[in-house]
Amino acid sequence: REIKGIVDSIEIDNMGNLIALKKGKSSKKKVMAAAHMDEIGFMISHIDDEGFARFQTLGGFDPKTLTAQKVTVHGKKDIMGVMGVKPIHAMSPEERKKLPKLEDYYIDFGLPAKEVNKIVSRGDFVTRFTDFTEMGNSVCTKSLDNRFAVFQLIESLKSMKKPAYDFYAVFTVQEEVGLRGAKVSAHKINPDFAFGLDVTVANHTPGIQKQDRGPKMSGGPAVMYKDRSAIADSRMIKYIEGVAKKAKITIQPEIMDMGGTDTASMQMGADGAIAGGIFLPTRYLHTVIEMADKTDIADCITLLTKCVEGLDKFNLKWS
């Protein structure tokens, strides 16, 4: 709905990736940017005789962040539930010393089993529930990972003049469970250039050692150097940094020994791509209070737009 009329074609592949093509000045090369649509969540695996549901995770969770959270179960109709765990009043002194495990949690619907079973079934998906909040110059909500990049890609398409080359804006699926959708779309498109769009850990917070701090929230877009899944092409790093300097956008490097994004799948797609990433520094990742700076968001949009528009000036030579 948001991009209809501003791109030349839209298709949805067998896996569910939405692929939008915006034709460029030249078709000699292809450019792809990937923003994953999926969020971490759960799947109902069991409903007991009293109507409490057990679940399996879809994506990575820190168990302690589930305590006292609301969720939406997408059954025959959407139904609200809460994450329950053994209350502290019923714990032994030894139990109180231990961190909760995922298997300790269940979903409570506040309904008898007969009513639960009319609506909820094994295999139903579950998402977390929270409000969207603006706090000063920041936004705070669940699933900025990766609502942000979907927004970034949409807004870049809206503001973009003629791209240098044919631009494939891909809204991917199943990133959180193995970068799966991007693998399929990258093999189909076979891009020459690729941009991963995602969030990254901003942990300039109390208790974090200086050497362990990544990009800083309110410090500008993070340019990917490496993570556990990929090492960005050095030519792409230099290109993004050059575009940012010309646009007077403050940027910062992202050097991680964990995590992974669709950048890796695009880099290894078909013939391989010259790949890099433009990431949003975000606090409290994979919780319901993910937080990011509005200026960083705007700068990420501008940086992507200018990078795609100017790729005909890309230096293909290795230094």
Side-chain angles (χ1 to χ4, degrees):
R1 182 183 70 246
E2 292 292 326
I3 62 176
K4 188 176 181 181
I6 60 172
V7 295
D8 294 283
S9 67
I10 299 173
E11 66 172 300
I12 299 175
D13 67 17
N14 288 339
M15 201 169 175
N17 299 301
L18 192 152
I19 303 171
L21 169 62
K22 192 176 184 74
K23 291 182 179 178
K25 298 174 186 175
S26 169
S27 296
K28 290 182 178 179
K29 296 184 183 298
K30 291 182 281 189
V31 185
M32 176 178 171
H36 71 87
M37 298 183 289
D38 59 308
E39 61 182 284
I40 57 172
F42 315 94
M43 180 180 285
I44 300 294
S45 58
H46 177 73
I47 303 169
D48 69 19
D49 292 340
E50 295 188 29
F52 298 109
R54 298 286 180 169
F55 56 86
Q56 294 183 11
T57 57
L58 300 172
F61 279 92
D62 177 356
K64 67 178 181 289
T65 65
L66 301 184
T67 301
Q69 294 298 315
K70 295 178 181 178
V71 296
T72 304
V73 178
H74 305 282
K76 293 182 175 63
K77 64 179 181 179
D78 285 357
I79 181 173
M80 184 71 71
V82 296
M83 284 287 183
V85 71
K86 190 174 184 179
I88 194 169
H89 313 81
M91 291 182 180
S92 68
E94 287 302 314
E95 287 176 321
R96 295 183 186 191
K97 296 176 184 179
K98 297 177 182 178
L99 290 173
K101 301 184 292 295
L102 283 168
E103 55 266 31
D104 294 332
Y105 290 90
Y106 53 86
I107 299 174
D108 184 350
F109 300 98
L111 293 170
K114 183 179 179 181
E115 296 302 314
V116 172
N117 285 303
K118 289 179 181 178
I119 305 169
V120 180
S121 303
R122 294 180 65 203
D124 287 344
F125 290 102
V126 185
T127 54
R128 298 163 302 160
F129 179 87
T130 191
D131 293 324
F132 179 90
T133 306
E134 296 186 59
M135 303 167 60
N137 198 50
S138 300
V139 294
C140 182
T141 188
K142 68 144 187 170
S143 307
L144 281 178
D145 178 11
N146 202 20
R147 287 174 172 177
F148 149 72
V150 172
F151 176 71
Q152 176 191 19
L153 191 48
I154 290 170
E155 293 301 305
S156 289
L157 285 169
K158 288 179 178 179
S159 62
M160 191 177 294
K161 298 173 184 176
K162 197 76 169 176
Y165 302 114
D166 287 353
F167 177 47
Y168 293 83
V170 185
F171 303 86
T172 64
V173 298
Q174 296 195 32
E175 188 270 356
E176 294 289 1
V177 289
L179 319 181
R180 297 172 184 172
K183 291 177 185 177
V184 172
S185 53
H187 275 79
K188 175 185 177 69
I189 296 165
N190 193 16
D192 298 278
F193 301 100
F195 295 91
L197 310 176
D198 215 312
V199 298
T200 188
V201 180
N203 54 8
H204 285 241
T205 51
I208 304 295
Q209 300 271 346
K210 285 186 177 181
Q211 66 268 23
D212 296 326
R213 292 176 176 177
K216 185 178 183 180
M217 194 179 93
S218 306
V223 178
M224 178 192 178
Y225 277 56
K226 71 169 288 289
D227 59 28
R228 191 169 57 189
S229 68
I231 300 172
D233 193 299
S234 60
R235 296 169 294 177
M236 180 61 83
I237 293 171
K238 289 179 181 179
Y239 173 70
I240 296 174
E241 290 176 342
V243 172
K245 184 176 180 180
K246 187 175 180 180
K248 297 181 179 179
I249 295 173
T250 301
I251 56 174
Q252 46 190 331
E254 190 234 35
I255 303 170
M256 302 281 287
D257 61 359
M258 65 185 78
T261 70
D262 282 341
T263 312
S265 291
M266 293 187 291
Q267 188 178 51
M268 296 183 288
D271 295 329
I274 298 172
I278 299 172
F279 300 153
L280 176 71
T282 305
R283 289 181 186 156
Y284 318 121
L285 282 183
H286 285 202
T287 74
V288 294
I289 54 166
E290 293 180 344
M291 183 186 298
D293 180 82
K294 293 179 185 178
T295 303
D296 288 348
I297 292 171
D299 285 345
C300 283
I301 294 167
T302 301
L303 184 55
L304 173 64
T305 303
K306 292 186 177 296
C307 281
V308 173
E309 289 175 341
L311 271 170
D312 51 346
K313 301 177 181 66
F314 191 97
N315 184 3
L316 288 169
K317 294 180 181 179
W318 294 99
S319 58

